[in-house]
Amino acid sequence: MIELVMRRASAIFFLFAIPAVAADHWLRLTTPDFELYTTASEKQGRDTLRRFEQVREFFLQASPVRSLGDSPLRIFQFETASQYQPFRPNESSVAFFVATPARDYIVMGDRIADDFGPAIHEYMHLIVRHSGLKLPTWLNEGWADVYSTLRPMGKDTAVGDLRPDRMKSLAGEQWLDFDALAAVDSSSSTYHEGSRVGIFYAESWALAHMLYLSPEYKDNFGKFVTALNSGKSTAEALEIAYGRSPAMVFKDLRAYFDRKRLYGRVFETRIGNVEEKVTSAALPEFDSQLALTDLLVAIGKRDEAKAEYARLDQEQPDRPDLNQSMGNLALWSKDLSAARQYFAKAYDAGNADAQMCFDLAVLEREAKQPPAKIIPILERSLQ
């Protein structure tokens, strides 16, 4: 799901839960586009990175939405349910996407090894976010579900396989009417914990599938998305792109589903050799704890993260990456004085992160520091 609603865990629970995960054997595997932190085996990690690289290449070559962001995506892959538990947004969540101003994350639980589809779903959310597209929630989720079936076919890629779980919901539950489906947003109970969440996802998938892949609708799908992005409602966009009312489209959707044979598509893609890009190294415990604490900040557990940063600072007070993380937390908490101090310590220790250097330069300017102090910081950011 796009938005995360997390219940705040107690500090006591945090202090026991996070070190237990961090004490496990962590690996960090990287390619130019991804960094994977995992407690699984190196083979599993390489398999995961291979899949993500294939998905990335597909979106670059064949997708109408291609903005992937500027920084490597950080992925967490937990091998066991107990490791994943302190971070998961709800019991049904197999994977999720979350972002901070500093980086994007995809977090995957222990069940991802059996089905990579949820990870592709979350990656599509990342792409939509970076593209700047303004999509209604049903299309954001439904389109991501369509892409979640992405699978290699030789050197090509197939999209649009049937999803048995969605088909079961459509066959066994009462459908939401058009207005109810179109009105769902990130704050709706239907989107999170309501009894209708299953049919919402199923209808969203089916409607996105028909509009994107069926012969009757696919040629004007781009026009439909453009209308939505311009601020039109779903009903208005359907009229603009297809000349059909919501009632007519829903009638077509019923017929499309009743066929039990939906249209897929094979895209011509050329995926290169991923193995030669991967580097792998064991991760020291301090580094794994720091990375997990950064993730706590991303999911909104700032009090727990602040306590853990303080503990880590007692262990290694001069770590520039730790000072950068503490500075980010202070900046996002509107404590600008503390952010400036942490960033300055990281900068003086040689940290060359472009965003951090830029943020420090802005803070120094707001503190009325002379240009002679600010310009070198900006130069390092540009480098």
Side-chain angles (χ1 to χ4, degrees):
M1 300 172 74
I2 308 170
E3 302 290 336
L4 296 177
V5 179
M6 303 295 299
R7 289 199 177 110
R8 191 175 295 275
S10 70
I12 294 176
F13 172 76
F14 163 77
L15 289 172
F16 282 97
I18 301 307
V21 178
D24 289 312
H25 177 68
W26 281 88
L27 290 173
R28 181 176 182 265
L29 297 91
T30 62
T31 70
D33 307 300
F34 301 98
E35 56 176 1
L36 172 67
Y37 290 74
T38 182
T39 54
S41 68
E42 181 172 349
K43 180 182 182 302
Q44 288 176 285
R46 287 180 177 273
D47 288 344
T48 297
L49 281 183
R50 183 185 305 110
R51 292 296 306 275
F52 269 106
E53 286 286 356
Q54 291 171 340
V55 172
R56 179 180 184 276
E57 284 301 315
F58 165 80
F59 280 110
L60 284 174
Q61 296 178 34
S63 169
V65 185
R66 304 183 185 186
S67 181
L68 304 181
D70 299 323
S71 301
L73 169 67
R74 179 171 289 182
I75 306 162
F76 283 92
Q77 182 179 19
F78 294 100
E79 186 178 29
T80 69
S82 61
Q83 293 168 348
Y84 181 43
Q85 186 61 39
F87 305 94
R88 69 190 308 166
N90 55 63
E91 290 304 315
S92 63
S93 176
V94 178
F96 64 90
F97 163 65
V98 67
T100 70
R103 70 172 66 252
D104 298 312
Y105 298 87
I106 287 180
V107 184
M108 304 184 299
D110 56 300
R111 286 178 281 169
I112 207 71
D114 300 322
D115 179 12
F116 200 72
I120 303 174
H121 179 113
E122 301 305 328
Y123 193 63
M124 179 60 178
H125 286 324
L126 177 151
I127 292 171
V128 168
R129 177 177 181 270
H130 282 289
S131 74
L133 279 177
K134 300 177 180 65
L135 301 180
T137 302
W138 73 264
L139 182 57
N140 210 336
E141 296 295 350
W143 203 6
D145 252 5
V146 171
Y147 276 125
S148 74
T149 63
L150 186 155
R151 58 183 172 83
M153 288 186 64
K155 291 187 176 181
D156 297 329
T157 305
V159 173
D161 288 349
L162 295 181
R163 290 204 43 172
D165 55 338
R166 303 305 187 214
M167 298 289 283
K168 182 178 179 181
S169 294
L170 290 168
E173 298 183 41
Q174 181 180 352
W175 286 30
L176 299 168
D177 62 34
F178 174 83
D179 290 337
L181 180 68
V184 172
D185 60 25
S186 60
S187 63
S188 302
S189 60
T190 300
Y191 184 58
H192 293 290
E193 300 174 356
S195 61
R196 310 246 60 202
V197 66
I199 193 62
F200 164 73
Y201 273 93
E203 274 186 67
S204 298
W205 164 75
L207 183 54
H209 198 292
M210 183 182 76
L211 297 180
Y212 182 46
L213 294 174
S214 72
E216 300 86 354
Y217 283 91
K218 66 180 182 180
D219 290 344
N220 287 321
F221 183 75
K223 188 176 181 180
F224 174 67
V225 171
T226 299
L228 291 171
N229 190 54
S230 70
K232 301 297 183 182
S233 68
T234 299
E236 292 170 331
L238 291 172
E239 289 282 3
I240 291 169
Y242 303 109
R244 300 189 184 190
S245 68
M248 295 169 64
V249 172
F250 250 43
K251 182 179 179 181
D252 289 346
L253 182 61
R254 287 280 188 177
Y256 187 69
F257 167 71
D258 287 342
R259 283 186 295 202
K260 301 294 188 297
R261 178 180 174 275
L262 308 188
Y263 292 92
R265 183 176 174 186
V266 176
F267 293 84
E268 182 178 340
T269 53
R270 293 293 179 265
I271 308 300
N273 185 2
V274 177
E275 288 296 333
E276 60 190 28
K277 302 179 182 179
V278 179
T279 61
S280 174
L283 198 65
E285 183 176 342
F286 184 95
D287 296 72
S288 63
Q289 289 180 316
L290 177 56
L292 290 167
T293 307
D294 290 343
L295 179 58
L296 284 175
V297 175
I299 63 177
K301 295 186 174 183
R302 294 188 176 185
D303 290 343
E304 294 91 327
K306 186 175 181 179
E308 181 65 1
Y309 282 145
R311 188 187 68 78
L312 292 172
D313 192 43
Q314 291 294 315
E315 290 186 20
Q316 298 189 33
D318 297 324
R319 281 281 294 256
D321 50 355
L322 173 58
N323 279 298
Q324 179 183 344
S325 291
M326 291 191 291
N328 283 334
L329 177 56
L331 182 64
W332 303 333
S333 302
K334 309 300 182 185
D335 188 350
L336 303 187
S337 177
R340 180 182 168 216
Q341 292 176 17
Y342 287 129
F343 287 157
K345 287 180 67 176
Y347 176 83
D348 291 341
N351 190 312
D353 181 84
Q355 185 63 53
M356 189 214 72
C357 291
F358 179 79
D359 289 338
L360 175 59
V362 171
L363 292 170
E364 296 288 19
R365 184 187 63 182
E366 292 177 352
K368 303 188 185 307
Q369 295 301 301
K373 183 174 183 178
I374 298 172
I375 290 173
I377 302 174
L378 288 172
E379 288 176 340
R380 188 185 294 183
S381 178
L382 290 171
Q383 289 170 1

XYZ file of all heavy atoms in Angstrom, residues 10 29 32 40 43 101 129 141 152 170 190 201 208 242 252 323 328 356:
145
model
N 6.130 0.672 21.861
C 6.757 1.248 23.045
C 8.261 1.195 22.921
O 8.823 0.369 22.216
C 6.331 0.455 24.293
O 6.933 -0.821 24.257
N 24.325 -6.268 -0.443
C 24.620 -6.517 -1.839
C 24.205 -5.292 -2.641
O 23.135 -4.715 -2.383
C 23.884 -7.757 -2.356
C 24.243 -9.098 -1.708
C 23.330 -9.388 -0.532
C 24.141 -10.226 -2.726
N 24.628 -0.784 -9.302
C 24.558 0.680 -9.443
C 23.181 1.267 -9.128
O 23.084 2.451 -8.796
C 24.919 0.895 -10.920
C 25.797 -0.259 -11.258
C 25.222 -1.420 -10.496
N 18.921 -13.034 4.617
C 18.867 -14.280 3.855
C 20.259 -14.629 3.332
O 21.233 -13.906 3.571
C 17.869 -14.149 2.713
N 22.950 -16.215 -1.983
C 22.272 -16.667 -3.197
C 20.887 -16.035 -3.311
O 20.497 -15.545 -4.382
C 22.155 -18.191 -3.205
C 21.453 -18.736 -4.447
C 21.319 -20.247 -4.396
C 20.662 -20.775 -5.665
N 19.317 -20.193 -5.915
N 12.624 12.146 2.397
C 13.329 13.049 1.483
C 14.733 12.572 1.128
O 15.302 13.001 0.125
C 13.376 14.365 2.273
C 12.199 14.302 3.191
C 12.094 12.860 3.579
N 5.383 7.573 -7.984
C 5.753 8.703 -7.127
C 6.777 9.598 -7.811
O 6.645 10.824 -7.837
C 6.300 8.196 -5.798
C 6.780 9.298 -4.853
C 7.247 8.707 -3.530
N 7.690 9.755 -2.624
C 8.937 10.208 -2.550
N 9.874 9.697 -3.325
N 9.259 11.162 -1.690
N -3.303 1.466 -7.230
C -3.222 0.094 -6.738
C -3.498 -0.920 -7.842
O -2.817 -1.942 -7.953
C -4.190 -0.107 -5.573
C -3.881 0.711 -4.335
C -2.559 0.321 -3.682
O -1.967 -0.701 -4.072
O -2.116 1.046 -2.785
N 9.491 -12.947 -16.890
C 10.310 -13.098 -18.093
C 9.769 -14.201 -18.997
O 9.279 -15.229 -18.526
C 11.686 -13.471 -17.542
C 11.645 -13.141 -16.086
C 10.225 -13.298 -15.668
N -13.664 -11.230 -6.776
C -14.653 -10.752 -7.741
C -15.815 -11.723 -7.883
O -16.964 -11.313 -8.085
C -13.992 -10.523 -9.100
C -13.016 -9.346 -9.185
C -12.218 -9.413 -10.481
C -13.742 -8.010 -9.085
N -11.875 1.490 3.818
C -11.873 0.442 2.791
C -10.464 0.137 2.314
O -10.148 -1.001 1.955
C -12.731 0.880 1.585
O -14.071 1.118 2.032
C -12.739 -0.169 0.491
N -9.378 -3.989 -3.886
C -8.179 -4.332 -4.652
C -8.533 -5.145 -5.892
O -7.936 -4.962 -6.968
C -7.188 -5.087 -3.770
C -6.266 -4.185 -3.004
C -6.563 -3.769 -1.705
C -5.093 -3.723 -3.580
C -5.714 -2.925 -1.010
C -4.230 -2.878 -2.879
C -4.560 -2.486 -1.602
O -3.725 -1.639 -0.908
N -8.247 -1.706 -14.026
C -6.972 -1.288 -14.606
C -6.540 -2.254 -15.702
O -6.017 -1.848 -16.746
C -5.901 -1.205 -13.513
N -12.602 7.802 -23.587
C -13.305 6.704 -24.237
C -14.704 7.077 -24.730
O -15.329 6.279 -25.436
C -13.424 5.519 -23.270
C -12.089 5.040 -22.747
C -11.717 5.256 -21.418
C -11.192 4.367 -23.578
C -10.493 4.809 -20.938
C -9.971 3.920 -23.105
C -9.624 4.145 -21.782
O -8.401 3.713 -21.315
N -19.076 -3.063 -19.310
C -18.000 -3.725 -20.059
C -17.096 -4.532 -19.120
O -16.617 -5.611 -19.481
C -17.160 -2.691 -20.806
C -17.895 -2.068 -21.971
O -18.946 -2.617 -22.374
O -17.426 -1.030 -22.479
N 25.993 10.786 11.948
C 25.674 12.204 12.107
C 24.738 12.689 10.998
O 23.855 13.521 11.241
C 26.960 13.030 12.122
C 27.632 13.012 13.485
O 27.072 13.462 14.470
N 28.835 12.464 13.549
N 19.300 14.315 9.574
C 18.059 14.179 8.822
C 16.849 14.141 9.742
O 15.836 14.811 9.492
C 18.092 12.897 7.982
C 18.941 13.031 6.732
O 19.129 14.127 6.208
N 19.461 11.914 6.252
N 22.747 15.936 1.632
C 23.146 16.440 2.945
C 23.939 17.738 2.817
O 23.719 18.702 3.566
C 23.974 15.400 3.695
C 24.247 15.777 5.154
S 25.849 15.233 5.761
C 26.967 16.335 4.890
